[in-house]
């Protein structure tokens, strides 16, 4: 049985504004699998911290990553798509340890495009000031990770098509 037969399991990752939620929903619809947004798995305390412009530390992230890992494990059999920043290798390693077949789809968007997107967005708890700290932090997936990088300045449908073309035979 291939991964496609049981539904792809995908973590859509990248910095704020890279399109994780948008592309993640589009991908889940295309695959007909459940979608979750890891932002919804944060505690109220974490959301308050981010709203105040304070980056989370690893202690804040531990229970959050455990919840994302749990979601992946629960969708191991059916497949699913979760939008999760997963900026650092050590965070992704937690998810990979729990669900080794999960793909990371890394949405790469240049800084100018990101800043423009965030400026036009309303009603979201991530202020644009966190953009630079995220860009300084992010560790793009390494060659030994189960990942695909796509230029996500393209339209969501196109990003999804490119990803599926890359993993199609898996
Ligand atoms: N491929 C795309 N092309 C153009 N605009 C996009 C694309 N993907 C997302 N957007 C727009 O960019 C903004 C940010 O997208 P989205 O909320 O999906 O990003 P995100 O990575 O989930 O951000 P966050 O980490 O803050 O939740 C939204 O206004 C969305 O409509
Ligand atoms: Mg989002």
């Amino acid at each position: 049985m291939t991964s496609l037969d049981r539904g792809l399991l995908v973590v859509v990752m990248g910095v704020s504004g890279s399109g994780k939620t948008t592309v993640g929903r589009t991908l889940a619809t295309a695959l007909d699998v459940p979608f979750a947004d890891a932002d919804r798995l944060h505690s109220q305390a974490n959301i308050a911290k981010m709203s105040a412009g304070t980056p989370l530390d690893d202690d804040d992230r531990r229970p959050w990553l455990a919840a994302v890992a749990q979601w992946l494990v629960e969708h191991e059999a059916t497949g699913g798509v979760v939008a999760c920043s997963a900026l650092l290798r050590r965070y992704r390693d937690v998810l990979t340890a729990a669900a080794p077949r999960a793909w990371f789809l890394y949405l790469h968007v240049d800084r100018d495009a990101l800043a423009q997107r965030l400026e036009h967005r309303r009603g979201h708890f991530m202020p644009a000031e966190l953009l630079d700290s995220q860009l300084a932090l992010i560790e793009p997936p390494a060659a030994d990770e189960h990942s695909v990088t796509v230029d996500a300045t393209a339209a969501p449908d196109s990003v999804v098509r490119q990803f599926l073309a890359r993993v199609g035979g898996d």
Side-chain angles (χ1 to χ4, degrees):
M1 188 191 264
T2 68
S3 295
L4 277 175
D5 290 329
R6 47 184 174 155
L8 288 173
L9 192 60
V10 186
V11 178
V12 182
M13 58 159 291
V15 299
S16 181
S18 58
K20 300 180 294 293
T21 301
T22 308
V23 172
R25 282 190 191 286
T26 305
L27 177 61
T29 300
L31 293 170
D32 195 23
V33 296
F35 171 77
D37 203 313
D39 284 346
R40 301 292 181 103
L41 301 175
H42 273 299
S43 63
Q44 280 303 316
N46 280 0
I47 291 172
K49 225 174 156 173
M50 288 187 281
S51 299
T54 311
L56 301 180
D57 61 26
D58 279 4
D59 284 341
D60 298 322
R61 283 199 182 85
R62 201 164 291 114
W64 173 63
L65 281 170
V68 178
Q70 177 65 24
W71 193 93
L72 288 171
V73 168
E74 284 168 5
H75 293 80
E76 182 87 59
T78 57
V81 178
V82 62
C84 176
S85 50
L87 297 184
L88 301 190
R89 171 71 186 253
R90 64 179 181 273
Y91 306 154
R92 295 191 295 273
D93 283 348
V94 171
L95 304 181
T96 299
R101 84 174 182 93
W103 281 101
F104 291 99
L105 166 53
Y106 172 39
L107 303 179
H108 183 266
V109 182
D110 62 75
R111 194 194 178 284
D112 286 352
L114 285 168
Q116 217 169 19
R117 285 185 191 178
L118 288 175
E119 247 172 53
H120 291 105
R121 194 162 54 158
R122 296 280 179 273
H124 201 272
F125 64 69
M126 179 69 79
E129 294 75 44
L130 280 189
L131 177 58
D132 283 323
S133 69
Q134 297 221 335
L135 287 172
L137 256 182
I138 190 164
E139 296 169 356
D144 64 332
E145 292 185 80
H146 198 223
S147 70
V148 170
T149 298
V150 174
D151 177 355
T153 51
D157 280 350
S158 166
V159 174
V160 165
R161 272 198 303 276
Q162 289 180 62
F163 171 69
L164 292 176
R166 299 268 292 278
V167 304
D170 186 64

